[in-house]
Amino acid sequence: MVVARDYISFSKVREKLKGSVGFVPTMGALHEGHLSLIRRAKEENDYVIVSIFVNPTQFLEGEDLDKYPKKEEADKKICQLAGVDLLYLPTVEQIYEEDELLISAPKIRGYILEGAKRPGHFDGMLQVVMKLLNITQANRAYFGKKDAQQLLLIEQMVRNYFMNIEIVPCEIVRDSDGLALSSRNVYLSSSERKRALSISRSLKRGVKLVQSGEYRVDVIKEAMKSILEKDVDCLDYIAIVNREFKLLKDIEEGNTIVLIAAWVGDTRLIDNLWL
Ligand code: AMP
């Protein structure tokens, strides 16, 4: 595995990769969720590129940019063992210049739910993903359904800018107790972690209701809320949307995403289920 920290050395190695390339962009502190993307990329391509870059422009003032977990040595080992060919670890200066040309998230889909709670987050995310896709020149890029709105906005960017890349959505990986894996889970104390389980429990309850024939969104949301109320400290939202991120009144089977964003202690967690 080659580790590149600047664009020039990255490009020199990239040029030599003759064959299909799968790309997995991450912010590091790698876990099984990231690994599932890397494994999938490995299966479907001749070469795999992973990037680790904690992108400052997608963090809002007061968010956890400064304390975001950093585990470079462990991450390198994980990538090496997973058979990654090229690991890109750029600095902020490598990626950004002053007075940049900016990409804006769409005014509706980019500013509801996560975008409403974190205004501007998706502008910064799309900005860096555009750069990384251009730098890596991959054939396919792998993204987790865990960040559902992010995934759909990236698909939209690729469509709207006629970008020549395939976006591959990947399933959410959970711990055996149901908690969706996230680099931010390390912030949770053991009692907070227990309370955080109410999020996946609540999603499961929603699915059970649909399976039993309940399609009314307000009824499902009430039942989900009653599970969360006791355990989370602040519920940012429970939302039931279609794949265009429009709020639904009734479940549309095969076209629905149920999303939760909630705070447990000082940690903000997101999770979702696709129906
Ligand atoms: P991050 O490092 O948090 O920016 O995540 C990098 C990529 O890994 C994104 O496409 C995420 O959606 C994906 N990812 C993070 N957690 C999980 C998970 N538990 N299951 C599947 N994919 C995940």
Side-chain angles (χ1 to χ4, degrees):
M1 180 177 82
V2 179
V3 179
R5 291 181 189 273
D6 64 89
Y7 177 65
I8 294 176
S9 47
F10 176 88
S11 300
K12 276 191 190 140
V13 183
R14 171 64 187 93
E15 271 168 25
K16 291 191 193 126
L17 305 181
K18 308 280 180 228
S20 63
V21 170
F23 173 45
V24 182
T26 80
M27 297 207 298
L30 301 180
H31 50 66
E32 275 295 323
H34 299 113
L35 261 175
S36 70
L37 272 56
I38 294 171
R39 287 196 200 106
R40 175 104 185 253
K42 203 69 201 138
E43 274 164 30
E44 297 179 356
N45 301 276
D46 299 319
Y47 299 102
V48 175
I49 299 176
V50 171
S51 67
I52 297 179
F53 180 64
V54 181
N55 174 38
T57 65
Q58 71 188 65
F59 286 78
L60 273 65
E61 198 70 35
E63 289 189 344
D64 58 342
L65 174 62
D66 294 333
K67 69 164 187 171
Y68 197 83
K70 288 188 183 58
K71 297 188 175 166
E72 193 181 300
E73 284 314 306
D75 288 350
K76 270 199 226 160
K77 280 216 180 84
I78 290 171
C79 287
Q80 176 115 47
L81 288 172
V84 170
D85 299 283
L86 178 49
L87 175 61
Y88 186 39
L89 301 168
T91 59
V92 174
E93 293 70 31
Q94 283 279 326
I95 296 291
Y96 288 107
E97 63 177 48
E98 295 244 319
D99 192 23
E100 287 232 334
L101 184 154
L102 297 171
I103 293 177
S104 300
K107 291 289 167 272
I108 299 169
R109 278 182 235 179
Y111 282 87
I112 53 168
L113 303 175
E114 281 305 282
K117 291 288 171 190
R118 306 179 70 193
H121 163 69
F122 287 128
D123 303 62
M125 179 280 290
L126 291 171
Q127 184 87 3
V128 81
V129 171
M130 167 73 97
K131 285 168 186 275
L132 292 169
L133 295 185
N134 286 337
I135 291 168
T136 52
Q137 294 288 313
N139 302 85
R140 301 183 184 86
Y142 295 77
F143 292 90
K145 289 181 172 179
K146 161 95 172 20
D147 299 279
Q149 200 172 356
Q150 163 174 295
L151 168 63
L152 293 178
L153 289 171
I154 290 165
E155 286 178 337
Q156 185 179 355
M157 178 174 76
V158 165
R159 201 168 59 241
N160 290 171
Y161 286 90
F162 299 92
M163 294 164 72
N164 185 21
I165 184 157
E166 183 188 339
I167 301 300
V168 184
C170 300
E171 295 306 320
I172 299 174
V173 177
R174 298 172 181 283
D175 250 334
S176 52
D177 57 10
L179 186 69
L181 296 185
S182 161
S183 305
R184 289 187 167 102
N185 289 352
V186 296
Y187 299 152
L188 298 167
S189 68
S190 62
S191 63
E192 285 172 344
R193 202 180 179 292
K194 275 190 197 120
R195 291 197 284 124
L197 294 178
S198 61
I199 297 174
S200 53
R201 251 199 338 265
S202 165
L203 286 167
K204 269 193 211 143
R205 176 85 187 110
V207 173
K208 273 251 162 68
L209 279 171
V210 175
Q211 284 167 347
S212 69
E214 180 57 77
Y215 278 54
R216 289 167 299 173
V217 159
D218 50 355
V219 175
I220 297 167
K221 277 172 68 171
E222 263 326 296
M224 290 174 63
K225 204 165 150 191
S226 70
I227 292 176
L228 288 166
E229 259 163 6
K230 287 165 270 152
D231 282 323
V232 304
D233 296 304
C234 175
L235 179 59
D236 271 357
Y237 58 78
I238 300 179
I240 301 188
V241 300
N242 67 13
R243 303 281 161 95
E244 262 99 58
F245 263 77
K246 295 217 171 80
L247 295 174
L248 290 174
K249 272 190 155 167
D250 295 293
I251 300 290
E252 293 172 8
E253 263 190 285
N255 191 32
T256 298
I257 312 173
V258 186
L259 305 120
I260 294 174
W263 290 84
V264 179
D266 293 330
T267 307
R268 187 172 186 277
L269 299 168
I270 59 169
D271 197 356
N272 63 73
L273 269 175
W274 298 50
L275 291 173

Coordinates of all heavy atoms in Angstrom, one line a residue, residues 6-42:
D6 N 0.3 14.3 -0.5 CA 0.1 15.5 -1.4 C -0.4 15.1 -2.8 O -0.2 13.9 -3.2 CB 1.4 16.3 -1.5 CG 2.5 15.6 -2.1 OD1 2.6 15.6 -3.3 OD2 3.2 14.8 -1.4
Y7 N -1.0 16.0 -3.5 CA -1.6 15.7 -4.8 C -0.6 15.2 -5.8 O -0.9 14.2 -6.5 CB -2.3 17.0 -5.3 CG -2.9 16.8 -6.6 CD1 -4.0 15.9 -6.8 CD2 -2.5 17.5 -7.7 CE1 -4.6 15.7 -8.0 CE2 -3.1 17.3 -9.0 CZ -4.1 16.4 -9.1 OH -4.7 16.2 -10.3
I8 N 0.6 15.7 -5.8 CA 1.6 15.3 -6.8 C 2.0 13.8 -6.6 O 1.9 13.0 -7.6 CB 2.8 16.3 -6.9 CG1 2.3 17.6 -7.3 CG2 3.9 15.7 -7.8 CD1 3.3 18.7 -7.3
S9 N 2.3 13.5 -5.4 CA 2.7 12.1 -5.2 C 1.5 11.2 -5.4 O 1.7 10.0 -5.8 CB 3.5 11.9 -3.9 OG 2.8 12.5 -2.8
F10 N 0.4 11.6 -4.9 CA -0.8 10.8 -5.1 C -1.0 10.5 -6.6 O -1.2 9.4 -7.1 CB -2.1 11.5 -4.6 CG -3.4 10.8 -4.8 CD1 -3.8 9.9 -4.0 CD2 -4.1 11.0 -6.0 CE1 -5.0 9.1 -4.2 CE2 -5.3 10.3 -6.3 CZ -5.7 9.4 -5.4
S11 N -0.9 11.6 -7.5 CA -1.2 11.4 -8.9 C -0.2 10.5 -9.6 O -0.6 9.8 -10.5 CB -1.2 12.8 -9.6 OG -2.1 13.6 -9.0
K12 N 1.0 10.6 -9.1 CA 2.0 9.7 -9.7 C 1.7 8.2 -9.6 O 1.8 7.4 -10.5 CB 3.4 10.0 -9.1 CG 4.1 11.1 -9.7 CD 5.6 11.2 -9.2 CE 6.2 12.5 -9.7 NZ 7.0 13.1 -8.7
V13 N 1.2 7.9 -8.4 CA 0.8 6.5 -8.1 C -0.5 6.2 -8.8 O -0.7 5.1 -9.5 CB 0.6 6.2 -6.6 CG1 0.3 4.8 -6.3 CG2 1.9 6.6 -5.9
R14 N -1.4 7.1 -8.8 CA -2.7 6.9 -9.4 C -2.6 6.6 -10.9 O -3.3 5.7 -11.4 CB -3.6 8.2 -9.2 CG -4.9 8.2 -10.0 CD -5.9 7.1 -9.5 NE -7.1 6.9 -10.3 CZ -7.2 6.1 -11.3 NH1 -6.2 5.3 -11.8 NH2 -8.3 6.0 -12.0
E15 N -1.7 7.3 -11.6 CA -1.5 7.1 -13.0 C -1.1 5.7 -13.4 O -1.4 5.2 -14.4 CB -0.3 8.0 -13.5 CG -0.7 9.4 -13.9 CD 0.5 10.3 -14.1 OE1 1.6 9.8 -14.4 OE2 0.3 11.5 -13.9
K16 N -0.5 5.1 -12.4 CA 0.0 3.7 -12.7 C -1.0 2.6 -12.5 O -0.8 1.5 -12.8 CB 1.2 3.4 -11.8 CG 2.5 4.2 -12.2 CD 3.7 3.7 -11.4 CE 4.8 4.7 -11.6 NZ 5.4 5.1 -10.3
L17 N -2.2 3.0 -11.9 CA -3.2 2.0 -11.6 C -4.0 1.8 -12.9 O -5.0 2.6 -13.2 CB -4.1 2.5 -10.5 CG -3.5 2.8 -9.1 CD1 -4.5 3.2 -8.1 CD2 -2.7 1.6 -8.6
K18 N -3.7 0.9 -13.7 CA -4.4 0.6 -14.9 C -5.4 -0.5 -14.7 O -5.1 -1.6 -14.4 CB -3.4 0.1 -16.0 CG -2.2 0.9 -16.2 CD -2.5 2.1 -17.1 CE -1.3 3.0 -17.3 NZ -1.5 4.4 -17.1
G19 N -6.7 -0.1 -14.7 CA -7.8 -1.0 -14.4 C -8.8 -0.2 -13.6 O -8.7 1.0 -13.5
S20 N -9.9 -0.9 -13.2 CA -10.9 -0.2 -12.5 C -10.5 0.2 -11.1 O -9.8 -0.5 -10.4 CB -12.2 -1.0 -12.5 OG -12.0 -2.2 -11.7
V21 N -11.0 1.4 -10.6 CA -10.6 1.9 -9.3 C -11.9 2.2 -8.5 O -12.8 2.9 -9.0 CB -9.8 3.2 -9.4 CG1 -9.6 3.8 -8.1 CG2 -8.4 2.9 -10.1
G22 N -11.9 1.6 -7.3 CA -13.0 1.9 -6.3 C -12.4 2.8 -5.3 O -11.3 2.7 -4.8
F23 N -13.3 3.8 -4.9 CA -12.8 4.8 -4.0 C -13.7 4.9 -2.7 O -14.9 4.9 -2.9 CB -12.8 6.2 -4.7 CG -12.5 7.4 -3.8 CD1 -11.4 7.3 -2.8 CD2 -13.2 8.5 -3.9 CE1 -11.2 8.4 -2.0 CE2 -13.0 9.6 -3.0 CZ -11.9 9.5 -2.1
V24 N -13.1 4.9 -1.5 CA -13.8 5.0 -0.3 C -13.4 6.3 0.5 O -12.3 6.3 1.1 CB -13.7 3.8 0.6 CG1 -14.5 3.9 1.9 CG2 -14.0 2.5 -0.2
P25 N -14.1 7.4 0.4 CA -13.7 8.6 1.2 C -14.2 8.4 2.6 O -15.3 8.0 2.9 CB -14.5 9.7 0.5 CG -15.5 9.1 -0.3 CD -15.3 7.6 -0.4
T26 N -13.3 8.8 3.6 CA -13.6 8.7 5.0 C -13.0 9.9 5.8 O -12.2 10.6 5.2 CB -13.1 7.4 5.7 OG1 -11.7 7.6 6.0 CG2 -13.2 6.2 4.8
M27 N -13.5 10.0 7.0 CA -12.8 11.0 7.9 C -12.0 10.2 9.0 O -11.6 10.8 10.0 CB -13.9 11.8 8.6 CG -14.7 12.7 7.6 SD -15.4 14.2 8.3 CE -16.4 13.6 9.5
G28 N -11.7 8.9 8.7 CA -10.8 8.2 9.6 C -11.5 7.7 10.8 O -12.7 7.6 10.9
A29 N -10.6 7.2 11.8 CA -11.1 6.5 13.0 C -11.9 5.3 12.5 O -13.1 5.1 12.8 CB -11.9 7.4 13.9
L30 N -11.3 4.5 11.6 CA -12.0 3.5 10.8 C -12.6 2.4 11.7 O -12.0 2.0 12.7 CB -11.0 2.9 9.8 CG -10.4 3.9 8.8 CD1 -9.5 3.2 7.8 CD2 -11.5 4.7 8.0
H31 N -13.8 1.9 11.3 CA -14.4 0.8 12.0 C -15.0 -0.1 11.0 O -14.8 0.1 9.7 CB -15.5 1.4 13.0 CG -16.4 2.4 12.3 ND1 -17.3 2.0 11.3 CD2 -16.6 3.7 12.5 CE1 -18.0 3.1 10.9 NE2 -17.6 4.1 11.6
E32 N -15.7 -1.1 11.4 CA -16.3 -2.1 10.5 C -17.2 -1.6 9.4 O -17.3 -2.1 8.4 CB -17.1 -3.2 11.3 CG -16.2 -4.3 11.9 CD -15.5 -5.2 10.8 OE1 -16.2 -5.5 9.8 OE2 -14.4 -5.6 11.0
G33 N -17.8 -0.4 9.7 CA -18.7 0.2 8.7 C -17.8 0.7 7.5 O -18.1 0.3 6.4
H34 N -16.7 1.3 7.8 CA -15.8 1.7 6.7 C -15.3 0.5 6.0 O -15.2 0.5 4.8 CB -14.6 2.5 7.3 CG -15.0 3.8 8.0 ND1 -14.8 4.0 9.4 CD2 -15.5 5.0 7.5 CE1 -15.2 5.2 9.7 NE2 -15.7 5.8 8.6
L35 N -14.9 -0.5 6.9 CA -14.3 -1.7 6.3 C -15.3 -2.4 5.3 O -14.8 -3.0 4.3 CB -13.9 -2.7 7.4 CG -12.5 -2.6 7.8 CD1 -12.2 -3.6 9.0 CD2 -11.6 -3.1 6.6
S36 N -16.5 -2.3 5.6 CA -17.5 -3.0 4.7 C -17.5 -2.3 3.3 O -17.6 -2.9 2.3 CB -18.9 -3.0 5.3 OG -19.4 -1.7 5.3
L37 N -17.3 -1.0 3.3 CA -17.2 -0.2 2.1 C -15.9 -0.6 1.3 O -15.9 -0.8 0.1 CB -17.2 1.3 2.3 CG -18.5 2.0 2.4 CD1 -19.5 1.5 3.5 CD2 -18.3 3.5 2.7
I38 N -14.8 -0.7 2.1 CA -13.5 -1.0 1.5 C -13.6 -2.5 0.9 O -13.1 -2.7 -0.3 CB -12.4 -0.9 2.5 CG1 -12.2 0.5 3.0 CG2 -11.1 -1.5 2.0 CD1 -11.3 0.7 4.2
R39 N -14.2 -3.4 1.6 CA -14.3 -4.8 1.1 C -15.1 -4.8 -0.2 O -14.8 -5.5 -1.1 CB -14.9 -5.7 2.2 CG -14.0 -6.0 3.3 CD -14.5 -7.2 4.1 NE -13.8 -7.1 5.4 CZ -14.4 -6.8 6.6 NH1 -15.7 -6.5 6.6 NH2 -13.8 -6.7 7.7
R40 N -16.2 -4.1 -0.2 CA -17.1 -4.1 -1.4 C -16.3 -3.5 -2.5 O -16.3 -4.0 -3.7 CB -18.3 -3.2 -1.0 CG -19.2 -3.0 -2.2 CD -20.5 -3.9 -2.1 NE -21.3 -3.7 -3.3 CZ -22.5 -3.0 -3.3 NH1 -22.9 -2.5 -2.2 NH2 -23.2 -2.9 -4.4
A41 N -15.6 -2.4 -2.3 CA -14.8 -1.8 -3.3 C -13.7 -2.7 -3.9 O -13.4 -2.8 -5.1 CB -14.1 -0.5 -2.8
K42 N -13.2 -3.5 -3.0 CA -12.1 -4.5 -3.3 C -12.7 -5.6 -4.3 O -12.1 -6.0 -5.2 CB -11.7 -5.1 -2.0 CG -10.4 -5.8 -1.8 CD -9.2 -5.1 -1.8 CE -8.1 -6.1 -2.0 NZ -7.1 -5.7 -2.9

